[in-house]
Amino acid sequence: MKRNLPAAIALMLVLGMSQTATAADPLPSWRDGRTKQAIVDFVKQVTAKGGPKFVPPADRIAVFDNDGTLWAEQPMYFQLAFVLDRVKSLAPQHPEWQEKEPFKSALAGDLAGVAAGGEKGLLELVAATHAGTTSEEFEKAVKDWLAAAKHPRFNRPYTDLVYQPMLELLVFLRANGFKTFIVSGGGVEFVRAFSEKVYGIPPEQVVGSSIKTNYEVRDGRPVIARLPAIDFIDDKAGKPVGIQKFIGRRPLMAFGNSDGDFEMLEWTTTGPGPRFGLIVHHDDAPREWAYDRESHVGRLNRGLDEAPQRGWSIASMKSDWRRVFPFEK
Amino acid sequence: MKRNLPAAIALMLVLGMSQTATAADPLPSWRDGRTKQAIVDFVKQVTAKGGPKFVPPADRIAVFDNDGTLWAEQPMYFQLAFVLDRVKSLAPQHPEWQEKEPFKSALAGDLAGVAAGGEKGLLELVAATHAGTTSEEFEKAVKDWLAAAKHPRFNRPYTDLVYQPMLELLVFLRANGFKTFIVSGGGVEFVRAFSEKVYGIPPEQVVGSSIKTNYEVRDGRPVIARLPAIDFIDDKAGKPVGIQKFIGRRPLMAFGNSDGDFEMLEWTTTGPGPRFGLIVHHDDAPREWAYDRESHVGRLNRGLDEAPQRGWSIASMKSDWRRVFPFEK
């Protein structure tokens, strides 16, 4: 085997060269047009050695919102579906929940009732469903749920509802020396439970909201105990704060879909040198959903108004994306 | 050029092979012995494809304490020297400090006086020297200080006081597919200001203590404002909490030097499968310092007692390290 290795390498190299020469489109699910061109041009510029806009690989940081940017967020945030299902599965140990809000509404699947409890009610649900376990137990609970739960519209696992064009974009950026991060308003441990498998993004490159934890040794076994108290909300102005806290440098590219991502896009694109911002616009009801300025989830208002003057690209699901989900033909 | 590339690759490959066969010692500043052997054996086992202890690259996480593990921490934490110098440089704008503790003691270089102020006094110093700037201004302040300040014993920049054997270890681990992280009790933004240049560890792989920050747009310019309030203390039981919060998975290897690293070593080495823990023991007064059980800085007591039964290696500076600092002959 070893004697043939140089020949094999030579062959691979030749094949590799011809592949580069007639390179397949790295973003086949993006339709040719202004948005795709803007992405490809930007990446070409910052990776052109000796070029005026060259950026060293260490500074090629790209940040992605998750809900509505990498996977769907309708009819409700998928993590909220997890909360509701988890309330149901924990209910037998909590007979008092049958008569107590917000659990009563959650058990009945009554979202309006849950919403009526306001922030206090929501925190009670988070405490009941996200705390009281170790970090390892919680990770298992999320993985078990993702393996079993089905999305109500598509009747498929939630992790099937990731956007094919964004998966291609992640691969394309990493192939060009970018480090890809998720910066999510969702719970960091919830997203970490599937980010590596689904997006190729390792847990240490996920920034998100978190609850407080505590290190304890229980009967000689160390655990990270999850506590019923909010530690950090990684949304809106919290996103640049989370980026600085976890990543420690300003990103080169940012991708979002709602006004919750506005400050992340603003912080990224007002940095010196070349910067890139993109908003995914949900305007495709037949294939996905159509919502923006008036939506209760993923509301996009200021971003739509200011994107042109700020030089942010808008990716129209309807016209820029040839395919939305990987399971589409 | 292109026509010759396969031949060149073949040549490099052959040279590479012979280099591996007669490989130079990757850890030349470590003396041959039990400690060095334990490191090399562990790395060999977890990287042996098909072997019983093989660990995929994604899970090869190695965490390093900074003060006393990667660089020196005597006669005081270097970050404390920064605090004292910064109080002096900010004093002209604060005439009231001349008569007000803990600033009066700090200005006089009176460490006992500073210590007399307890935690409250220390927090006042941190607030005065670490807050009130933007993240970018603070980074510049640290870099400027590191470029100018000299260590009192060695009369060299503080960043010269890094341990040569640990630098080699970082390179060796990365060459074997490990991702190297700093998990420091020191301020995360302080360490990030030099970690990439000095250790080859990028800011996003630095976990540390932090103060609260806020995202603000000042006259149209977004900034991360540093606030005078503690956000997170990454020490003792805080280290496993910080590891879970920032990295999101349990490390394979942990390196520390004091009881402040005990829980990090414990959390790491009680994980399933192969794990490795090592304590740097400061027992070399002529070349560095000698201190452990009774020290006010870097106190190492429980770690020394429990290392043997927990299977942690102890690196004796005196006997395991051929060279301590890069500037030594």
Side-chain angles (χ1 to χ4, degrees), chain A residues 27 30 35-43 169 172 276 278:
Chain A
L27 301 173
W30 290 77
T35 312
K36 178 176 182 170
Q37 202 57 49
I39 296 170
V40 172
D41 285 349
F42 182 85
V43 170
L169 184 53
F172 175 61
F276 187 90
L278 181 144

Side-chain angles (χ1 to χ4, degrees), chain A residues 9 136 179 189 192 196 202 204-205 213 215 217 222 231 240-241 244-250 266 270, chain B residues 9 136 179 189 192 196 202 204-205 213 215 222 231 240-241 244-250 266 270:
Chain A
I9 295 279
E136 284 158 353
K179 221 167 175 175
E189 298 290 303
R192 280 173 175 164
E196 188 151 40
E204 64 269 21
Q205 286 164 223
T213 61
Y215 179 75
V217 180
D231 178 46
V241 166
Q244 184 64 24
K245 187 199 288 240
F246 283 77
I247 306 176
R249 54 179 146 199
R250 205 150 166 174
E266 177 179 63
T270 52
Chain B
I9 295 278
E136 284 159 353
K179 220 167 174 176
E189 298 291 304
R192 281 173 173 164
E196 189 151 40
E204 64 269 22
Q205 287 164 222
T213 61
Y215 178 76
D231 178 46
V241 166
Q244 185 63 27
K245 187 199 290 238
F246 284 77
I247 307 177
R249 54 180 145 199
R250 206 151 166 172
E266 178 179 62
T270 52

Side-chain angles (χ1 to χ4, degrees), chain B residues 25-311:
Chain B
D25 182 353
L27 301 172
S29 299
W30 290 77
R31 287 204 185 92
D32 292 333
R34 202 167 56 171
T35 312
K36 178 177 184 171
Q37 202 57 50
I39 296 169
V40 172
D41 285 350
F42 182 85
V43 170
K44 199 176 283 178
Q45 285 170 353
V46 299
T47 55
K49 263 195 181 161
K53 295 191 173 176
F54 178 76
V55 175
D59 288 322
R60 293 182 204 155
I61 302 287
V63 289
F64 292 80
D65 168 59
N66 184 43
D67 296 309
T69 299
L70 293 179
W71 74 358
E73 59 183 353
Q74 296 283 6
M76 65 176 100
Y77 292 128
F78 296 176
Q79 192 174 358
L80 183 52
F82 166 75
V83 165
L84 297 183
D85 284 350
R86 193 157 162 79
V87 167
K88 278 178 202 145
S89 71
L90 294 173
Q93 297 137 255
H94 297 275
E96 73 282 9
W97 286 357
Q98 301 295 333
E99 297 304 323
K100 190 185 168 196
E101 291 292 2
F103 302 99
K104 189 179 169 185
S105 293
L107 287 169
D110 172 9
L111 282 180
V114 168
E119 198 177 321
K120 185 174 164 291
L122 209 59
L123 288 179
E124 277 185 80
L125 286 176
V126 167
T129 56
H130 283 63
T133 59
T134 69
S135 56
E136 284 159 353
E137 289 162 355
F138 182 74
E139 183 185 342
K140 185 177 180 310
V142 176
K143 284 184 170 167
D144 288 350
W145 179 78
L146 286 172
K150 293 277 170 70
H151 186 278
R153 172 171 165 189
F154 293 94
N155 196 32
R156 291 175 164 275
Y158 283 95
T159 49
D160 280 9
L161 273 78
V162 294
Y163 304 131
Q164 178 64 27
M166 300 305 282
L167 296 181
E168 293 167 7
L169 183 54
L170 288 169
V171 171
F172 175 61
L173 291 178
R174 290 195 291 257
N176 280 281
F178 279 81
K179 220 167 174 176
T180 52
F181 286 82
I182 290 173
V183 178
S184 173
V188 65
E189 298 291 304
F190 181 82
V191 180
R192 281 173 173 164
F194 63 91
S195 64
E196 189 151 40
K197 194 174 160 193
V198 173
Y199 304 129
I201 296 180
E204 64 269 22
Q205 287 164 222
V206 179
V207 179
S209 298
S210 56
I211 58 175
K212 289 189 189 295
T213 61
N214 201 24
Y215 178 76
E216 292 167 17
V217 180
R218 294 180 182 166
D219 302 328
R221 199 176 72 90
V223 299
I224 308 282
R226 295 173 57 81
L227 309 179
I230 298 292
D231 178 46
F232 176 60
I233 301 289
D234 189 52
D235 196 28
K236 301 190 176 76
K239 289 208 173 189
V241 166
I243 287 169
Q244 185 63 27
K245 187 199 290 238
F246 284 77
I247 307 177
R249 54 180 145 199
R250 206 151 166 172
L252 208 59
M253 306 182 85
F255 301 86
N257 78 297
S258 79
D259 284 350
D261 305 313
F262 190 92
E263 286 83 355
M264 173 173 86
L265 284 156
E266 178 179 62
W267 173 241
T268 299
T269 57
T270 52
R275 305 279 163 168
F276 187 90
L278 181 144
I279 293 174
V280 173
H281 190 200
H282 296 264
D283 57 359
D284 193 336
R287 293 192 300 175
E288 205 248 6
W289 282 270
Y291 58 97
D292 47 37
R293 295 183 189 274
E294 306 296 333
S295 176
H296 63 294
V297 162
R299 182 186 165 99
L300 175 66
N301 190 33
R302 190 177 171 199
L304 275 184
D305 287 341
E306 299 194 17
Q309 76 216 44
R310 289 179 178 267

